[in-house]
């Protein structure tokens, strides 16, 4: 079973794997953007491998490090089907529109043309059942628990051999998603390893830490900045902020409506949140239970969304001039660009500012420097001193930790014959490889 990697094999980002069905036909699994140090090593996002014989693209989910190179794939002439889950098919056009504007073109005509082509090629598939796939193979989708619509792909070849691509495996702590199940078996398991050397704190610890930060913001009238990915993390944070505010109001016996503003400054995140609300049937058990008593758990009275760029600039100015407590959720998640950078420029030098990281920060990104406790950081080419307090809420990670990844493998009915680790840095892959080897699994 031949597997060629075009990204996320020697690094964390740029996921793109080519599985050869036979000597002339293959499937592509994901086509993502390189970020951070990976992008410095591979600055050219254009497709440099041949598309000849690629029968279909299997898309595990819509995060940019798995889907961001799709525009370049289409520009290179790829016209084959894009297989994915139903939620992914609904979310992908939004992600592609944003990616096109940032890294490809600002032309509305070209963007419209690309989106029309993407919609023509999308083939949404139901979970937990086998589907015929181009190339004479079958595929089955399992929920990966990473983000709404995220998928593990099982690929069964004509001879019965089975390859499984984990995509990004969830930690089972997102209230909007169910934890991922283990596949039945695999001749080849391609397993992510982002947190292969780490263990996440318990979910209750992360909630308590976030509540401590929120209470500090209320007490010192500061600004809490949450650099968040528009999809997945933002919606999980809104869900839990809603619960935290309700708990604070119950203990203090007064409303928080005029005491703190929660600002989602990302039109893309707002559009994703609207789609999340439309797809409640795909939410996890915990959120389904909450829906019985709260039909809008992603919306609360002190929540404000910011639309166009002038509203964004006005919001930054208003918070700077008025010493009012606020929680700002803005992209991008690793502080590499986007609206969060303007908030950081304004408030990172103030001691009453809190910066809350709720996910992985790739090496070389501003988010990585800040989360590691650096005294200064470079934003848009300028140096800024860091006096704000930073907090790493790894319990909010959308990725499973070492125990989660091992449990996924241990839970398989038959042990995988071969495991290939991807999507992790050297230390993470080495640690996870050692643990799996100790348990008797074969890694290549």
């Amino acid at each position: 079973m031949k597997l060629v990697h075009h990204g996320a094999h020697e690094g964390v980002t740029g996921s793109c794997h080519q599985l050869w069905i036979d000597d002339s036909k293959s499937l592509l699994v994901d086509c993502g953007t390189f970020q951070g140090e990976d992008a410095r090593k591979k600055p050219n996002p254009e497709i440099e491998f041949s598309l000849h014989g690629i029968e279909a693209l299997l898309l595990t989910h819509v995060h940019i490090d798995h889907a961001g190179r799709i525009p370049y794939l289409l520009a290179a002439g790829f016209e084959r089907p894009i297989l994915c889950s139903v939620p992914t098919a609904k979310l992908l056009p939004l992600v592609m529109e944003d990616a096109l504007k940032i890294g490809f073109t600002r032309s509305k005509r070209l963007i419209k043309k690309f989106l029309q082509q993407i919609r023509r090629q999308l083939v949404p598939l139901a979970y937990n059942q086998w589907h015929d796939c181009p190339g004479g193979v079958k595929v089955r989708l399992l929920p990966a628990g990473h983000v709404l619509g995220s998928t593990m792909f099982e690929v069964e070849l004509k001879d019965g051999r089975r390859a499984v691509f984990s995509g990004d495996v969830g930690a089972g702590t997102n209230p909007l998603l169910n934890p991922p199940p283990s596949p039945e078996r695999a001749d080849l398991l391609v397993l992510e390893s982002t947190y292969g050397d780490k263990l996440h704190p318990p979910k209750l610890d992360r909630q308590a830490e976030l509540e401590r930060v929120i209470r500090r913001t209320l007490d010192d009238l500061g600004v809490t900045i949450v650099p968040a990915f528009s999809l997945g993390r933002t919606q999980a944070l809104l869900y839990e902020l809603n619960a935290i505010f309700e708990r604070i109001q119950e203990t203090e016996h007064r409303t928080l409506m005029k005491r703190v503003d929660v600002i989602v400054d990302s039109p893309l995140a707002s559009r994703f949140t609207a789609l999340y609300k439309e797809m409640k049937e795909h939410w996890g058990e915990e959120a389904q239970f909450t829906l019985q008593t709260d039909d809008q758990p992603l919306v609360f009275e002190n929540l404000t969304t910011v639309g166009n760029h002038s509203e964004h600039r006005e919001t930054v100015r208003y918070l700077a001039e008025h010493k009012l407590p606020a929680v700002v959720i803005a992209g991008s998640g690793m502080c590499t660009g986007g609206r969060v950078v303007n908030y950081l420029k304004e408030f990172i030098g103030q001691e009453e500012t809190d910066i809350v990281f709720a996910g992985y920060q790739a090496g070389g990104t501003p988010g990585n420097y800040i989360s590691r406790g650096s005294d200064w950081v470079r934003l848009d080419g300028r140096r800024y001193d860091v006096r704000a307090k930073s907090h790493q809420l790894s319990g909010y990670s959308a990725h499973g930790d070492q125990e989660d990844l091992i449990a996924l493998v241990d839970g398989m009915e038959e042990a995988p014959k071969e495991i290939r680790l991807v999507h992790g840095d050297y230390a993470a892959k080495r640690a996870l490889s050692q643990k799996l080897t100790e348990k008797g699994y074969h890694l290549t």
Side-chain angles (χ1 to χ4, degrees):
M1 199 176 293
K2 182 181 176 183
L3 183 66
V4 177
H5 303 283
H6 303 296
H9 183 225
E10 301 298 332
V12 180
T13 63
S15 284
C16 188
H17 316 285
Q18 188 173 5
L19 176 69
W20 288 88
I21 301 169
D22 56 33
D23 291 339
S24 61
K25 292 183 292 188
S26 64
L27 299 174
L28 201 63
V29 182
D30 289 339
C31 195
T33 301
F34 293 102
Q35 297 173 302
E37 292 178 355
D38 295 336
R40 278 188 278 279
K41 296 175 184 176
K42 298 183 178 180
N44 182 10
E46 295 181 3
I47 304 301
E48 298 178 337
F49 52 89
S50 172
L51 302 185
H52 181 71
I54 297 178
E55 297 290 324
L57 169 65
L58 311 184
L59 183 61
T60 63
H61 65 288
V62 299
H63 277 158
I64 207 73
D65 58 331
H66 289 255
R69 274 191 285 168
I70 289 179
Y72 294 92
L73 189 67
L74 301 190
F78 183 76
E79 297 179 344
R80 302 296 294 166
I82 301 173
L83 279 57
C84 62
S85 69
V86 173
T88 291
K90 292 183 179 180
L91 294 165
L92 184 64
L94 281 185
V95 175
M96 289 295 95
E97 182 180 351
D98 189 60
L100 288 165
K101 289 177 181 177
I102 293 174
F104 204 81
T105 178
R106 303 293 295 186
S107 167
K108 292 182 179 180
R109 182 184 62 82
L110 285 177
I111 290 173
K112 182 179 179 181
K113 182 179 178 181
F114 267 113
L115 294 181
Q116 287 174 339
Q117 182 176 350
I118 287 169
R119 289 188 174 97
R120 284 197 302 269
Q121 293 176 235
L122 280 173
V123 181
L125 301 174
Y127 285 116
N128 302 313
Q129 56 185 272
W130 288 102
H131 304 272
D132 290 329
C133 174
V137 302
K138 293 183 179 294
V139 297
R140 181 166 61 179
L141 289 68
L142 298 177
H146 173 68
V147 69
L148 196 66
S150 59
T151 296
M152 286 184 277
F153 271 100
E154 298 176 283
V155 181
E156 187 162 289
L157 307 185
K158 290 180 180 180
D159 59 9
R161 288 181 300 162
R162 193 175 293 182
V164 176
F165 294 85
S166 74
D168 284 351
V169 177
T173 56
N174 188 325
L176 296 170
L177 304 171
N178 286 319
S182 295
E184 291 175 347
R185 64 179 179 86
D187 294 276
L188 171 62
L189 172 62
V190 183
L191 180 65
E192 74 117 317
S193 57
T194 309
Y195 284 109
D197 58 344
K198 294 180 174 62
L199 298 176
H200 298 325
K203 180 179 177 180
L204 290 178
D205 289 354
R206 85 177 191 193
Q207 291 174 333
E209 176 62 18
L210 180 58
E211 185 168 332
R212 280 194 292 271
V213 174
I214 297 302
R215 289 183 180 273
R216 174 178 135 86
T217 298
L218 292 171
D219 291 340
D220 64 15
L221 306 181
V223 174
T224 291
I225 302 171
V226 187
F229 298 98
S230 298
L231 177 62
R233 207 70 47 81
T234 293
Q235 290 75 33
L237 286 164
L238 289 176
Y239 182 94
E240 296 210 332
L241 281 170
N242 190 5
I244 288 171
F245 286 132
E246 287 185 2
R247 189 158 54 245
I248 293 175
Q249 289 179 151
E250 289 173 1
T251 57
E252 295 189 359
H253 306 290
R254 56 175 170 170
T255 180
L256 289 176
M257 186 173 181
K258 296 182 179 178
R259 289 192 60 203
V260 61
D261 286 319
V262 179
I263 300 166
V264 177
D265 193 344
S266 168
L268 188 60
S270 299
R271 294 170 72 186
F272 280 139
T273 302
L275 278 176
Y276 256 66
K277 289 186 286 185
E278 290 178 12
M279 294 189 283
K280 292 176 182 177
E281 71 272 16
H282 295 284
W283 290 11
E285 289 184 9
E286 179 182 335
Q288 293 289 348
F289 181 78
T290 300
L291 284 170
Q292 297 177 20
T293 55
D294 183 354
D295 63 352
Q296 294 291 344
L298 303 183
V299 179
F300 39 95
E301 59 184 2
N302 49 330
L303 175 65
T304 301
T305 58
V306 177
N308 60 42
H309 192 69
S310 62
E311 290 179 5
H312 160 70
R313 304 294 296 191
E314 176 61 24
T315 301
V316 176
R317 185 195 63 77
Y318 178 82
L319 292 179
E321 293 179 359
H322 299 79
K323 200 165 180 63
L324 300 172
V327 179
V328 177
I329 301 173
S332 65
M334 298 185 192
C335 308
T336 53
R339 295 185 177 184
V340 74
V341 173
N342 289 328
Y343 288 100
L344 292 173
K345 290 177 182 177
E346 186 65 45
F347 298 106
I348 200 169
Q350 301 178 16
E351 293 181 355
E352 61 267 30
T353 298
D354 292 277
I355 304 172
V356 177
F357 294 101
Y360 181 79
Q361 301 299 310
T365 61
N368 180 267
Y369 285 110
I370 297 169
S371 65
R372 287 193 288 112
S374 175
D375 292 332
W376 62 276
V377 66
R378 197 171 297 280
L379 301 169
D380 284 346
R382 179 181 169 187
R383 173 176 169 148
Y384 289 82
D385 292 332
V386 179
R387 296 187 180 89
K389 292 181 173 61
S390 68
H391 311 263
Q392 181 68 51
L393 302 185
S394 56
Y396 281 92
S397 174
H399 290 269
D401 63 9
Q402 185 184 87
E403 287 185 351
D404 296 321
L405 296 169
I406 292 173
L408 185 83
V409 180
D410 285 345
M412 297 175 68
E413 294 179 13
E414 298 179 25
K417 294 180 181 178
E418 177 186 345
I419 300 176
R420 181 85 55 89
L421 296 183
V422 297
H423 207 288
D425 61 26
Y426 175 75
K429 286 197 289 190
R430 182 180 62 180
L432 182 58
S433 176
Q434 181 177 344
K435 289 287 186 180
L436 290 170
T437 300
E438 289 172 357
K439 295 175 73 68
Y441 296 112
H442 174 60
L443 284 90
T444 59

